[in-house]
Amino acid sequence: MGMKIGLFVPCYIDAFYPGVGIATLELLERLGQDVTYPTEQTCCGQPMTNAGCVSDSAAAEALFVKLFSGFDAIVMPSGSCTHHVRAHFDAIEQTDAVRHVRANTYELVEFLHDVLKVRDFPWAEFPHTVGLHNSCSSLRALRTASMSELGEPAFSKPKTLLSGVKGIRFATPARPDECCGFGGTFSVTEEAVSARMGLDKVRDHFHAGAEYIVSADSSCMMHQQGCAERNHVDIRFIHIAEILNGARQ
Amino acid sequence: MREKPVNHAGAAVAFIADKPHLDFHDARLWDMRQKRDAQMHLLPEWQDLRSRASAIKEHALANLADYLEEFERNAKSNGIHVHWAADGAEHNRIVAEILEARGARTLIKSKSMVTEECDLRPYLAARGVTVTENDLGERIQQLDDQMPSHIVVPSVHKLTSDVARIFARSYGTDPNADDPHQLAEAQRLAARPVILHADAGMTGGNFFVAETGTFVVCTNEGNADLSATVPGVHIATIGIERVVPRMADLGVFIRLLSRSALGSPITQYTSHFRGPQDGSEMHVVLVDNGRSARLGMADFWTSLKCIRCGACMNTCPVYRRSGGLSYGAVYSGPIGAIIDPTFNERKYSTLPYASTMNGSCTNVCPVKINIHEQLYKWRQVLVEHHQMPFVKREIMHMAGKLMGQPRLYRAAINGTETALGTLPRFALYNWLNPWGKNRELPAPVKETFHSWYRRNRPTAGKATPETVKTETKA
Ligand code: SF4
């Protein structure tokens, strides 16, 4: 039997992309895990901390620890929230519970790849060409894929997982690990640069032949989709959890 | 009145609106990044070199006073005059005095970021000294009365047609002749007589070596050598952090510098200077200008490892799309954003926010400065020092409170909440408004995940193992 897993669904997924939360939950259940979504959850505290307002994230962090410290593992379909919990949960006193939460929080892809070690998704089929977008948190903080800056041997956990899906094909954008420009509050305080980066990103995938951009981070995709729609770039978006859970489109 | 912070975001709007310049700038710098990658792939020891470079710099900085004194001793015995400048004003005074003592009225100068920091040119101009920059890019910037927009390629934001216009204005050349070779030739013709007749020469310095009392200047145009060979006097201005302990250390940096900067294996010229020519003087001015203070900053001192290669700028997606001038500072891009606030916290308080903290800069940096982590840290310092705009500070405060209260938070998500903190609603919406300027909003959904879960897993999620205990107690 699986572990006792606490599911964290980031605020923007809860509010705008409920399907991603559902896919994550169903996928983990399909894989035999005992998953609970504590319904009192709010946010991991990242928006405040990234803005520099560390003390303002204390309440969110404390609530998070209260709700999740009883689980064996905490899983979330978001690289940046995972990175925040793991690396920046510093606004509150570091009790055993806090340390437990920090050490046992996983982003969905790394949980599937490293902990459950799933490679086949026989129920999944996605006969489309996809461009894979790794958020900068996933790529450079969680290291779920190799980064071009380091010249290291190529690896990609999300691609390894997606390769277990029937019919899927991959497009190769020219600048695969350039940031898409979301950046949290950066998206409003530096609106022009942010939107331009997003547009360049979706065009890069489009020109590489991608029908879909697939990512483990909905926040990047929310931004990219906004840029694509405004500029009539004909490309669709889907979270990796949805493909792995067998979404048909 | 308090100084206004640099409006990076506003300057970026204008930069982005000019498509030909934006596209060229982005492509040119990305090309440099790719050439850097290609060089990296040719050296299996790349990561090892970065680690060594970082370790040597950290060691040198940790023992800075000793190495500086060692350099001074050895340089003096090589016949070099060594001067110490605590700040820009002292630096400029020292340089002016050296020139005055020799009655020098014309100075030919090769590129140096430290002299930009000290604002040397206007200071000398006011004292009747004509300064001519002889690095092509820097000269273009001088003629256009702009700061360098990049620390390695100072006029990278300009198209050749811009340069043709500037040269036409200054040199009387054809404003429509924008062939790069012709432009370089025009500059050569204009500069040559100045170089031949200059009273004094000035360079910067990429490294100075404690063990030998020598210094090294790396250029691609040989302009430092032209400045240095002007008979009479050679003044070199160098920041105190540029010391390396031994000559043997230098190889590590020379191998990394040009590969990181331009993606070429080495600069065309790597010139070692060890003493004056016969009948001439050589002066080294070692500049602090805030460096010792920075060395004492626990979270930021490693920024002094910087060898000014510009790789972090080339890779930075924000820099490429906003241009160096948008930072309103001598140092732009990621490295600028972490050192500029040490010069003026208020004025440059916006720069650590001109970043998505994506971390590409940190991973290309040849001396492994944790740039994006310092950006993250700077934001905390700026908030502590009350440098965040009021509305944003209030929004963060309000959001922080909301996130700690599940019921209020739920109400806010469902749009049924009425009393959101103290900030008027329009302030929040005004602040969020820019999202929709160049981007669509996500489509509304029928049901949040939260309510789906309550409908579909009605018995689950009420409490976790931990909260059962705490709640029964209460
Ligand atoms: S911070 Fe690093 S990458 Fe940037 S200019 Fe300095 S040495 Fe080069």
Side-chain angles (χ1 to χ4, degrees):
Chain A
M1 187 53 199
M3 295 180 263
K4 261 191 143 2
I5 293 177
L7 172 65
F8 176 74
V9 174
C11 49
Y12 52 88
I13 291 183
D14 177 38
F16 297 122
Y17 303 101
V20 173
I22 296 168
T24 305
L25 174 68
E26 288 181 351
L27 178 61
L28 290 169
E29 286 174 345
R30 220 190 252 277
L31 293 165
Q33 304 302 305
D34 174 8
V35 189
T36 305
Y37 167 80
T39 52
E40 294 202 320
Q41 63 184 270
T42 59
C43 160
C44 65
Q46 183 190 193
M48 287 74 78
T49 303
N50 275 3
C53 307
V54 174
S55 59
D56 287 324
S57 68
E61 292 179 9
L63 177 65
F64 189 99
V65 171
K66 176 180 162 226
L67 295 176
F68 285 102
S69 59
F71 292 100
D72 300 324
I74 300 117
V75 178
M76 49 186 78
S78 161
S80 64
C81 301
T82 303
H83 176 56
H84 176 73
V85 173
R86 231 182 245 174
H88 293 151
F89 241 42
D90 298 322
I92 47 174
E93 197 199 323
Q94 300 298 299
T95 60
D96 285 345
V98 176
R99 273 191 291 273
H100 172 81
V101 163
R102 289 177 75 151
N104 291 285
T105 290
Y106 298 91
E107 182 273 323
L108 177 66
V109 166
E110 57 179 10
F111 187 72
L112 297 173
H113 186 281
D114 300 345
V115 181
L116 299 184
K117 301 190 196 308
V118 199
R119 292 297 177 269
D120 296 316
F121 301 85
W123 51 81
E125 185 173 355
F126 202 73
H128 300 283
T129 303
V130 302
L132 182 60
H133 172 73
N134 293 311
S135 73
C136 296
S137 301
S138 287
L139 185 68
R140 299 194 187 85
L142 305 181
R143 307 280 275 120
T144 59
S146 52
M147 61 174 116
S148 60
E149 290 88 353
L150 294 181
E152 58 194 343
F155 68 93
S156 169
K157 293 174 189 178
K159 195 168 176 183
T160 302
L161 296 181
L162 288 170
S163 301
V165 172
K166 268 190 292 296
I168 200 162
R169 298 175 303 270
F170 296 96
T172 313
R175 302 183 190 182
D177 50 17
E178 173 123 315
C179 173
C180 73
F182 171 62
T185 55
F186 179 87
S187 61
V188 287
T189 57
E190 286 270 1
E191 173 278 325
V193 180
S194 173
R196 182 71 213 190
M197 286 167 70
L199 177 59
D200 288 347
K201 172 59 72 181
V202 297
R203 280 193 179 146
D204 189 15
H205 281 270
F206 178 78
H207 292 310
E211 299 163 63
Y212 284 86
I213 291 180
V214 53
S215 178
D217 277 81
S218 291
S219 53
C220 298
M221 289 197 292
M222 173 171 74
H223 156 70
Q224 291 176 24
Q225 182 162 17
C227 297
E229 284 174 5
R230 176 63 58 90
N231 293 281
H232 311 293
V233 179
D234 183 16
I235 197 159
R236 279 166 288 175
F237 295 83
I238 189 165
H239 193 280
I240 189 167
E242 297 175 284
I243 296 185
L244 297 179
N245 190 45
R248 300 276 194 278
Q249 308 235 350
Chain B
M1 212 192 94
R2 292 215 292 171
E3 195 164 6
K4 273 185 91 174
V6 168
N7 183 3
H8 175 272
V13 171
F15 189 84
I16 287 170
D18 182 346
K19 198 167 179 314
H21 281 86
L22 169 70
D23 288 348
F24 171 80
H25 191 255
D26 174 60
R28 170 86 205 279
L29 293 166
W30 181 251
D31 182 57
M32 282 160 69
R33 158 75 209 275
Q34 286 192 299
K35 291 198 167 105
R36 169 229 174 249
D37 288 1
Q39 287 296 327
M40 165 183 70
H41 288 297
L42 292 175
L43 295 191
E45 67 273 34
W46 186 259
Q47 298 307 336
D48 186 37
L49 279 173
R50 288 177 75 219
S51 301
R52 273 167 202 255
S54 171
I56 294 167
K57 279 284 181 183
E58 285 186 10
H59 169 81
L61 290 166
N63 300 277
L64 188 59
D66 294 339
Y67 286 122
L68 290 176
E69 283 175 3
E70 185 183 347
F71 171 81
E72 183 184 36
R73 266 196 317 276
N74 292 328
K76 277 183 173 165
S77 67
N78 293 341
I80 301 176
H81 300 275
V82 179
H83 309 261
W84 301 92
D87 54 23
E90 191 173 6
H91 165 264
N92 294 350
R93 203 166 54 239
I94 291 167
V95 173
E97 278 168 13
I98 296 168
L99 296 176
E100 226 163 79
R102 306 191 51 93
R105 313 292 293 169
T106 52
L107 176 69
I108 185 89
K109 179 176 165 301
S110 78
K111 201 171 102 49
S112 145
M113 290 307 294
V114 183
T115 59
E116 296 289 332
E117 230 180 83
C118 301
D119 225 358
L120 174 70
R121 281 198 313 252
Y123 181 89
L124 290 182
R127 278 154 191 78
V129 178
T130 308
V131 181
T132 307
E133 296 284 347
N134 73 349
D135 170 274
L136 178 57
E138 193 68 38
R139 178 65 177 163
I140 293 166
Q141 289 308 94
Q142 184 188 15
L143 293 174
D144 204 24
D145 199 21
Q146 275 183 345
M147 274 192 279
S149 80
H150 186 287
I151 58 181
V152 174
V153 277
S155 59
V156 68
H157 60 294
K158 286 188 163 78
L159 300 170
T160 49
S161 54
D162 301 325
V163 178
R165 241 180 310 106
I166 293 163
F167 279 7
R169 206 169 57 207
S170 307
Y171 298 150
T173 47
D174 177 359
N176 298 313
D178 63 356
D179 170 62
H181 296 288
Q182 252 174 295
L183 290 169
E185 189 55 24
Q187 160 66 6
R188 225 170 273 136
L189 289 175
R192 206 161 279 161
V194 183
I195 295 169
L196 288 175
H197 298 112
D199 300 326
M202 184 168 199
T203 67
N206 294 78
F207 307 97
F208 61 101
V209 185
E211 176 187 56
T212 55
T214 59
F215 62 96
V216 179
V217 190
C218 306
T219 72
N220 281 307
E221 298 168 11
N223 45 320
D225 306 274
L226 286 173
S227 302
T229 46
V230 167
V233 59
H234 171 193
I235 307 168
T237 287
I238 316 179
I240 54 172
E241 82 284 16
R242 298 302 195 97
V243 70
V244 297
R246 300 164 309 155
M247 192 56 100
D249 299 325
L250 204 56
V252 176
F253 296 99
I254 300 295
R255 296 189 76 198
L256 285 167
L257 178 61
S258 193
R259 288 186 168 95
S260 299
L262 300 167
S264 66
I266 191 166
T267 42
Q268 297 291 326
Y269 300 86
T270 301
S271 304
H272 294 243
F273 295 96
R274 55 169 304 125
Q277 311 169 57
D278 286 345
S280 287
E281 289 172 16
M282 181 176 277
H283 297 261
V284 170
V285 190
L286 295 175
V287 181
D288 187 320
N289 203 29
R291 287 162 173 75
S292 325
R294 210 178 298 150
L295 191 55
M297 303 171 103
D299 293 314
F300 305 120
W301 71 275
T302 56
S303 62
L304 289 163
K305 291 190 288 184
C306 177
I307 58 173
R308 305 281 190 264
C309 71
C312 57
M313 306 161 95
N314 304 347
T315 200
C316 178
V318 177
Y319 174 86
R320 269 188 271 111
R321 290 172 184 82
S322 57
L325 299 178
S326 66
Y327 293 76
V330 169
Y331 299 103
S332 55
I335 181 64
I338 61 170
I339 63 177
D340 294 330
T342 68
F343 290 108
N344 185 335
E345 207 172 277
R346 172 83 188 152
K347 185 172 177 192
Y348 302 122
S349 58
T350 43
L351 299 187
Y353 293 93
S355 163
T356 60
M357 298 195 291
N358 61 75
S360 184
C361 47
T362 297
N363 290 289
V364 295
C365 177
V367 288
K368 289 194 165 181
I369 300 172
N370 58 336
I371 305 171
H372 74 295
E373 289 168 4
Q374 294 194 27
L375 289 166
Y376 178 78
K377 199 71 204 176
W378 262 116
R379 295 179 179 192
Q380 293 174 20
V381 171
L382 292 166
V383 169
E384 276 165 28
H385 295 179
H386 309 291
Q387 301 286 18
M388 178 177 269
F390 174 76
V391 170
K392 186 171 177 190
R393 184 75 197 83
E394 280 302 298
I395 286 172
M396 289 303 148
H397 207 60
M398 181 182 92
K401 275 201 196 144
L402 190 65
M403 302 306 190
Q405 305 175 61
R407 216 158 295 138
L408 259 190
Y409 170 81
R410 210 21 74 194
I413 290 276
N414 295 335
T416 53
E417 204 277 335
T418 47
L420 259 188
T422 53
L423 199 71
R425 232 157 227 281
F426 73 84
L428 175 64
Y429 288 120
N430 270 351
W431 192 76
L432 288 173
N433 238 353
W435 176 279
K437 240 173 141 180
N438 288 295
R439 237 175 329 214
E440 298 300 324
L441 281 162
V445 292
K446 280 199 237 48
E447 184 178 36
T448 62
F449 173 77
H450 182 271
S451 78
W452 177 91
Y453 187 82
R454 298 198 95 148
R455 269 199 311 108
N456 289 275
R457 303 286 189 280
T459 57
K462 292 283 159 42
T464 67
E466 192 77 315
T467 51
V468 173
K469 271 181 260 146
T470 49
E471 277 179 4
T472 41
K473 244 189 279 157

